[in-house]
Amino acid sequence: MIYPIVKYPDPILQKPAEPVTVFDAELRQLVDDMFTSMYDAQGIGLAAPQIGVSKRLTVIDLSFQKDPEKKIVLINPEIVEKKGKQVEEEGCLSLPEIRDRVVRAAQVKVRAVDAHGKPVEVEGEELLARALQHEIDHLDGILFIFRLSRLKRDLQLRKVRKLQKAGEW
Ligand code: NI
């Protein structure tokens, strides 16, 4: 099924998600539904809180359906290594129309488990490193606008309020 995307300021987006402890058919269905919901929303990354499920689960597909081997499922992920620095523009399905440059590590290594509870390790740089950090932030209740300077964040939040008032949020 396709879940609607939860938008800021829904509180589920701003609290840490619960670790996944049960690896059953229901979880695997949720993973499938997350990919479907992400593609439907034209996204390349989605974290479970963004569909209203407070679990430490995220999916990423930088190929956007073009290469099944690029599909990444991360459950209970942890960043175990960070290197360097990059500053690029980011957006988020939970903050439509809001984009800004965010400081991130240039390279990261992530340890997680897959939908069967099997350990996986993903190393990424550039866009993948950015996506990994952005999605894992979601699991900690951190939206990318809270990685901006206070001044920039306030500007973006003013934009959000304008869109809300106009009924475009
Ligand atoms: Ni996001």
Side-chain angles (χ1 to χ4, degrees):
M1 77 177 259
I2 294 171
Y3 286 85
I5 305 294
V6 172
K7 285 183 208 163
Y8 174 88
D10 193 302
I12 201 166
L13 297 171
Q14 291 179 79
K15 66 168 193 179
E18 295 291 325
V20 174
T21 52
V22 181
F23 296 83
D24 57 3
E26 203 177 308
L27 178 72
R28 290 185 278 282
Q29 183 61 52
L30 180 62
V31 168
D32 283 351
D33 289 346
M34 281 186 61
F35 276 109
T36 312
S37 305
M38 177 178 82
Y39 296 137
D40 182 68
Q42 305 295 310
I44 52 169
L46 186 70
Q50 293 183 280
I51 56 161
V53 176
S54 194
K55 283 189 181 164
R56 300 189 76 80
L57 155 62
T58 178
V59 299
I60 295 171
D61 179 4
L62 298 187
S63 83
F64 196 78
Q65 287 180 292
K66 287 193 188 81
D67 181 357
E69 287 188 8
K70 294 269 158 69
K71 286 170 80 172
I72 297 173
V73 176
L74 298 171
I75 299 173
N76 302 336
E78 304 278 352
I79 295 175
V80 293
E81 254 181 63
K82 279 187 182 189
K83 272 187 214 157
K85 194 177 111 172
Q86 57 169 324
V87 187
E88 296 294 337
E89 206 175 66
E90 283 181 33
C92 179
L93 294 175
S94 296
L95 289 154
E97 293 186 47
I98 305 298
R99 299 194 67 84
D100 217 326
R101 287 158 64 82
V102 185
V103 181
R104 300 282 189 188
Q107 271 179 283
V108 292
K109 189 197 274 186
V110 172
R111 278 198 195 118
V113 293
D114 67 14
H116 297 271
K118 208 178 85 204
V120 288
E121 202 173 88
V122 178
E123 277 188 72
E125 48 182 36
E126 296 176 7
L127 181 60
L128 180 55
R130 172 167 298 281
L132 290 165
Q133 292 167 88
H134 179 114
E135 298 311 329
I136 293 171
D137 262 359
H138 271 300
L139 306 182
D140 293 325
I142 301 166
L143 294 165
F144 83 89
I145 49 168
F146 295 99
R147 293 275 185 205
L148 304 174
S149 68
R150 192 189 188 122
L151 181 73
K152 280 180 149 193
R153 180 176 66 235
D154 287 349
L155 279 172
Q156 294 292 11
L157 288 175
R158 216 171 297 158
K159 210 192 260 178
V160 170
R161 279 193 290 274
K162 241 185 227 166
L163 288 164
Q164 285 169 328
K165 259 193 198 156
E168 288 162 20
W169 191 255

